[in-house]
Amino acid sequence: MLRHGSHAPQFLLETLNLAVAGRIAGIVICAGGVCRFFDWKFFASPISVVAGVGVSSAMGLFFGFQPTYRARRLDPIVVLQEK
């Protein structure tokens, strides 16, 4: 049986995955589309990629914590019955 509030790590992990996926998609779109369209040279140093993923992960966790905290305090049965 799951403990009350045990879904919080799942919400935070989902938020973290979305933030990292968004950052990677941004790099791919820039390298593949925008830079080729404008004939720009694309260069991403490894430290800038790591820093970008770190910052987007931190922002994802920061902004994902509030909904997670609110959802953790709700009873899933009651919420599903109200919908």
Side-chain angles (χ1 to χ4, degrees):
M1 177 135 182
L2 294 174
R3 291 186 334 243
H4 184 69
S6 64
H7 57 279
Q10 179 183 356
F11 283 161
L12 290 176
L13 185 62
E14 182 180 347
T15 303
L16 182 66
N17 285 338
L18 286 172
V20 171
R23 176 63 181 176
I24 291 171
I27 291 171
V28 169
I29 289 171
C30 178
V34 175
C35 290
R36 284 189 181 178
F37 182 76
F38 290 109
D39 198 27
W40 293 341
K41 291 183 180 181
F42 178 77
F43 174 75
S45 67
I47 194 139
S48 68
V49 172
V50 170
V53 169
V55 168
S56 68
S57 299
M59 288 179 62
L61 288 175
F62 179 75
F63 288 109
F65 182 75
Q66 176 64 22
T68 301
Y69 179 74
R70 291 179 66 199
R72 184 178 63 185
R73 303 180 91 209
L74 298 175
D75 184 17
I77 303 298
V78 173
V79 171
L80 290 173
Q81 287 175 347
E82 289 178 1
K83 294 289 176 180

